[in-house]
Amino acid sequence: ESVEVTISQIDIKGHEHYKAILNENITINLIELTNGKTHELYNSGILKGFYKQIKVYINSAVITLKDGRSYTCEINDEVLNGIEIDIATNITVKRNKTNNIILDFDVSKSFIPMGNIEVPHSFSGFRFRPVIKAVDKELTGTVKGKVTNSSGDVIGDATIELQYSGISYTTTFSD
């Protein structure tokens, strides 16, 4: 139903030090950001230069299941103190040039159930261990199509995983 995360700060790192580029709480429903949909977190200038890492601070994550149950996720200190994410291909910011960096949360890998979700009395919620990739938007692409069964019927909410040479790059869900 929904997966809401609150990001409190984003830093970007060049050769030596991190610089804060966002320092306010922004809550985003990650479920709404699938199949090419994005949410702009920051739109302002940064100094020209070479950037190789982003640090994201997340201070809360709440999951609401389709049956209405809602869980505030357990977040460890590593996440609260900032997750360091290597930018897949380093970014060079030039004067008068726009760079767009996509932070891709892999929801299917970021939330770990605590107990058996099918048995409510044995299930206590989720641990949040974010799996995030950072990539220059110019290097991203789109895969379009439909997921069907052997009879040709469209399958909704199917898990789709993009792999190359046996390595998983991302997962999403069909509409």
Side-chain angles (χ1 to χ4, degrees):
E1 191 70 21
S2 71
V3 175
E4 294 185 339
V5 296
T6 300
I7 297 171
S8 59
Q9 182 174 328
I10 298 176
D11 301 342
I12 191 162
K13 182 179 182 181
H15 290 292
E16 295 180 24
H17 305 287
Y18 279 103
K19 177 187 182 320
I21 59 172
L22 175 78
N23 199 0
E24 64 180 275
N25 284 342
I26 296 176
T27 301
I28 302 161
N29 182 354
L30 298 177
I31 296 299
E32 294 174 352
L33 303 178
T34 59
N35 301 327
K37 295 177 193 135
T38 61
H39 179 91
E40 187 171 274
L41 293 171
Y42 176 79
N43 184 0
S44 191
I46 60 172
L47 295 175
K48 66 180 183 175
F50 173 80
Y51 296 93
K52 59 185 178 178
Q53 264 186 345
I54 290 180
K55 193 171 191 178
V56 178
Y57 299 80
I58 299 171
N59 59 18
S60 74
V62 178
I63 293 180
T64 303
L65 303 176
K66 289 181 180 179
D67 65 9
R69 290 182 287 166
S70 186
Y71 299 93
T72 299
C73 301
E74 177 185 295
I75 299 177
N76 67 16
D77 287 343
E78 180 183 339
V79 175
L80 294 171
N81 294 326
I83 307 153
E84 293 181 351
I85 306 161
D86 291 329
I87 300 172
T89 54
N90 298 323
I91 300 285
T92 301
V93 174
K94 297 179 181 175
R95 197 173 88 158
N96 299 324
K97 183 178 183 287
T98 299
N99 294 81
N100 292 298
I101 300 170
I102 300 287
L103 295 178
D104 183 9
F105 282 77
D106 192 333
V107 173
S108 68
K109 294 179 182 173
S110 294
F111 296 89
I112 302 149
M114 295 187 299
N116 183 345
I117 196 167
E118 302 300 324
V119 182
H121 69 274
S122 74
F123 182 69
S124 60
F126 296 89
R127 285 188 183 93
F128 181 50
R129 303 295 181 265
V131 176
I132 308 170
K133 293 185 183 108
V135 65
D136 186 339
K137 186 175 181 181
E138 290 182 14
L139 301 176
T140 65
T142 303
V143 176
K144 291 187 178 191
K146 59 184 174 180
V147 179
T148 60
N149 62 19
S150 59
S151 301
D153 300 320
V154 174
I155 301 172
D157 289 330
T159 301
I160 301 167
E161 181 176 35
L162 179 63
Q163 292 185 0
Y164 178 74
S165 295
I167 298 170
S168 175
Y169 286 90
T170 192
T171 57
T172 191
F173 302 94
S174 63
D175 292 333

